[in-house]
Amino acid sequence: MRQIIAGNWKMYGRLADVAAYTGAIKAAPAHVSLLICPPFILLDRFATALKGSSIALGAQDCHATPDGAHTGDIAAPMLAEAGATHVILGHSERRENHGETNAVVKAKAEAAQTAGLIPIICVGEAEAERNAGEAGHVVRTQLAHSLPENFTGIVAYEPVWAIGTGRTPAEADVTAMHAEIRAALIARLGADGQSINILYGGSVKPDNAARLLALPEVGGALVGGASLKAEDLLAIAAAAPRR
Ligand code: PEP
């Protein structure tokens, strides 16, 4: 399975950064699929700059309805019009800061798929949940209730305590969780569950990418902080195994 290296710019970046960044990431190795998810306001500029390249463009959220009186929100068809092909949904920062429940994430994913976008559904346990031995249960529950019935997207396993902290789980824990997620996807979607990329996210950096990306059932990485520097994202992409 070809690995996907997805950069989540979160609420960082300015128009002035786009040209140099997109120019640099076009040198990404061909054995991975690269995807960049900038803030909404930069999508159009990224789409123009990436035209003709194989680098995909994604957003970081969408609304569950295609239009309506929802001040400050963005609808999935608008993202598609702006050039996005993917959308991150249910990131822990959305779940925590905006009270997004599994049901909300599922509704957004349905809207994304209807608009022709590929949803990247984020799941992951908090540190207290891991310490209590509940990580597997938490992630299975998030998967069961966040994924639409006809899910055709990507899953990102992002332990909340590893995001932006510089900490990563033990390799055995990543392997075990990715195996759990794969089993849940197959139980839910049959053979189609086998071909879904399961990304690992949480403090992926150039110096740990090779060992994280080599783990079984890791189908790529969702990269926050390190994706802001083109050279770091390129180093992570170069570290992906050729499977
Ligand atoms: C993220 O925002 O999805 C993320 C994984 O962030 P970081 O790489 O900075 O931990």
Side-chain angles (χ1 to χ4, degrees):
M1 179 185 290
R2 191 183 170 87
Q3 292 208 342
I4 299 168
I5 305 298
N8 172 15
W9 270 30
K10 311 193 188 209
M11 199 176 71
Y12 293 105
R14 294 287 186 272
L15 276 176
D17 303 326
V18 176
Y21 184 86
T22 52
I25 62 171
K26 285 179 187 167
H31 72 289
V32 295
S33 298
L34 211 62
L35 163 69
I36 301 298
C37 303
F40 295 133
I41 192 72
L42 299 183
L43 280 172
D44 185 53
R45 192 65 69 96
F46 262 83
T48 303
L50 292 175
K51 210 172 181 140
S53 82
S54 59
I55 300 169
L57 189 59
Q60 300 170 19
D61 182 41
C62 71
H63 198 269
T65 59
D67 46 35
H70 301 293
T71 303
D73 286 317
I74 307 273
M78 296 171 178
L79 300 176
E81 262 182 19
T85 50
H86 293 67
V87 59
I88 299 171
L89 295 172
H91 191 284
S92 65
E93 288 155 13
R94 300 283 320 169
R95 290 179 188 261
E96 275 175 27
N97 302 343
H98 299 267
E100 291 190 6
T101 61
N102 290 324
V104 167
V105 175
K106 181 178 179 179
K108 290 182 172 195
E110 284 166 352
Q113 291 190 171
T114 300
L117 298 174
I118 298 170
I120 303 169
I121 310 283
C122 301
V123 295
E125 80 285 356
E127 186 159 30
E129 292 165 335
R130 172 154 291 276
N131 292 341
E134 292 167 0
H137 171 72
V138 167
V139 168
R140 281 193 303 275
T141 304
Q142 288 175 328
L143 283 173
H145 300 289
S146 303
L147 265 52
E149 305 314 321
N150 59 343
F151 180 61
T152 53
I154 295 165
V155 171
Y157 168 55
E158 298 208 302
V160 179
W161 52 273
I163 295 177
T165 60
R167 297 163 59 204
T168 52
E171 290 167 23
D173 290 337
V174 175
T175 299
M177 189 61 85
H178 278 242
E180 283 239 25
I181 294 171
R182 176 67 69 209
L185 291 172
I186 291 171
R188 170 90 175 255
L189 303 166
D192 291 347
Q194 191 67 59
S195 54
I196 289 175
N197 283 68
I198 306 169
L199 311 185
Y200 167 77
S203 295
V204 177
K205 311 276 181 216
D207 63 359
N208 62 19
R211 67 179 175 79
L212 288 164
L213 292 171
L215 298 174
E217 296 295 4
V218 171
L222 182 51
V223 185
S227 73
L228 293 168
K229 277 194 189 163
E231 71 259 36
D232 285 355
L233 193 70
L234 288 174
I236 291 167
R242 292 163 196 273
R243 284 179 177 152

